[in-house]
Amino acid sequence: MTADIYRLTTANRLMIADFLDGLDDAAWTAQTLCNGWTVHHLAAHFVQPMLIGFGRFFLASFRYRGDTARTVDHFTRRLAQRPRGELTTLLRARAGDRVDPPRVGPMGPFAETCVHLRDIARPLGLDADVPVEHWRILLDYLASPAAAPALTPPGRLAGLRLVATDTDWSAGDGALVSGPVEALGMAITGRRAALADLSGPGVTRLR
């Protein structure tokens, strides 16, 4: 399964590089669903796991008192100083890198390719997305006890029954939340913009 995740992550990175190269100047400066980050920032963030090793990341985290989010933001903003063409070239060249971060493992980079692509495309009103099967794999992980807290905070899905309306996928017990797999995945990982695409009595709880 791990080898499959690496393969899918590679395919997603290559597709995202093509997508980014097709965006115009205005799109690259547009805000994404990641607060404070433009498309240029997210392009930089895509290559961060391949360019910034754990040792370097760990040492930098001391500056931010162990705050992972602030450390990620630090490196993303530094990498975003590079020209966009350089970032997409790097993304293609390093697409096959097998990154295995602590706590999240290979599912972390895979999840980022799925979720961050939509963090860019949703505000731009674009349909660019990973295949439905990729979302099914990610949702199986996000709804499982093995999910990393950084992706699915503890208790977020308690008492909820999640049902996809565009493919055969469901998980959990409780109040119903239904909608496309992409919207389910985005909402589970904290993207409030996706809640409008979901329905059912459990949506209020998830919100």
Side-chain angles (χ1 to χ4, degrees):
M1 180 63 178
T2 297
D4 288 339
I5 292 301
Y6 284 133
R7 177 178 56 80
L8 297 180
T9 302
T10 296
N12 287 349
R13 287 171 178 160
L14 292 172
M15 181 265 288
I16 289 167
D18 289 342
F19 167 71
L20 290 171
D21 274 340
L23 298 179
D24 61 19
D25 293 347
W28 272 79
T29 61
Q31 293 296 312
T32 68
L33 295 184
C34 295
N35 188 36
W37 284 3
T38 65
V39 172
H40 200 132
H41 288 118
L42 265 181
H45 183 64
F46 279 124
V47 300
Q48 179 183 316
M50 294 87 91
L51 301 182
I52 309 298
F54 174 71
R56 185 179 173 189
F57 187 92
F58 180 74
L59 289 175
S61 71
F62 284 107
R63 182 186 308 179
Y64 301 103
R65 300 183 180 181
D67 188 320
T68 299
R70 292 180 65 196
T71 308
V72 168
D73 184 72
H74 162 77
F75 281 115
T76 292
R77 292 185 184 280
R78 290 190 63 178
L79 289 170
Q81 295 173 15
R82 302 187 182 202
R84 65 196 201 192
E86 180 179 342
L87 293 174
T88 55
T89 297
L90 279 169
L91 185 55
R92 284 193 184 88
R94 306 295 293 269
D97 285 17
R98 296 191 166 193
V99 183
D100 187 5
R103 295 191 298 274
V104 293
M107 286 300 298
F110 172 67
E112 288 198 335
T113 61
C114 299
V115 175
H116 285 329
L117 171 58
R118 295 301 296 157
D119 283 333
I120 294 171
R122 269 180 168 266
L124 293 175
L126 300 176
D127 295 330
D129 198 358
V130 299
V132 168
E133 182 58 28
H134 293 206
W135 282 111
R136 286 170 53 92
I137 293 170
L138 181 55
L139 284 174
D140 281 341
Y141 173 76
L142 294 176
S144 75
L151 295 173
T152 309
R156 174 165 288 173
L157 303 182
L160 295 177
R161 170 70 173 167
L162 307 171
V163 177
T165 55
D166 54 349
T167 189
D168 183 19
W169 184 89
S170 62
D173 293 296
L176 177 66
V177 178
S178 65
V181 285
E182 178 266 351
L184 289 170
M186 295 295 283
I188 290 171
T189 53
R191 276 64 180 176
R192 295 178 65 87
L195 292 171
D197 297 325
L198 303 176
S199 62
V203 173
T204 299
R205 183 183 184 121
L206 182 58
R207 188 187 305 275

